[in-house]
Amino acid sequence: MMNIEGMQPLSLEQAQGMDGQPVWYKQMKQWFIVSINHKIWGDCIIGANSYASLENAVERGLYAYPPVTIDREALNCAGCDYLDRECVPCAHCIRAAGYADYYKPQEASE
């Protein structure tokens, strides 16, 4: 179940702009997908085993999924953090792109 405390319900205009996106339908206490211009039901929300008109659903409370925020600085591999901040980053480390030119394989010198 989603905690909607402190969240504002979507307006009809906001919901219409969310075609194909998930919304929490307060009355049914489950996730639905917004469908605009559905060939049978028109503007609606579609759930696992039910649907509702978008207009009626908005009146009863629709909520958008809160955006996810990621702290990119915290995304380091365990190996890089274990050694130190100046280590050669692994291929999966977010810092690897900054070191790509420096750590290119060197041609053998004679």
Side-chain angles (χ1 to χ4, degrees), residues 9 17 20 44-45 70-71 75 77-78 85 88 95 99 102 104-105:
C44 63
I45 56 171
I70 298 173
D71 179 9
L75 296 178
C77 70
R85 292 285 182 190
V88 178
R95 295 180 300 135
Y99 293 105
Y102 185 77
K104 282 183 182 173

Side-chain angles (χ1 to χ4, degrees), residues 33-38 41-46 51-55:
I33 301 294
V34 175
S35 180
I36 303 300
N37 296 323
H38 187 277
W41 300 306
D43 293 352
C44 63
I45 56 171
I46 301 172
Y51 77 95
S53 80
L54 191 60
E55 202 169 304

Side-chain angles (χ1 to χ4, degrees), residues 20-94:
Q21 300 297 312
V23 290
W24 180 258
Y25 188 23
K26 183 179 175 182
Q27 180 175 343
M28 299 293 287
K29 295 183 176 73
Q30 64 181 344
W31 290 101
F32 283 72
I33 301 294
V34 175
S35 180
I36 303 300
N37 296 323
H38 187 277
K39 61 183 176 181
I40 297 173
W41 300 306
D43 293 352
C44 63
I45 56 171
I46 301 172
N49 34 346
S50 62
Y51 77 95
S53 80
L54 191 60
E55 202 169 304
N56 287 339
V58 166
E59 290 174 8
R60 292 178 174 94
L62 277 186
Y63 295 84
Y65 189 77
V68 176
T69 57
I70 298 173
D71 179 9
R72 297 263 181 224
E73 284 297 314
L75 296 178
N76 291 318
C77 70
C80 288
D81 281 340
Y82 175 74
L83 295 172
D84 64 22
R85 292 285 182 190
E86 300 301 319
C87 71
V88 178
C90 71
H92 302 288
C93 182
I94 193 167

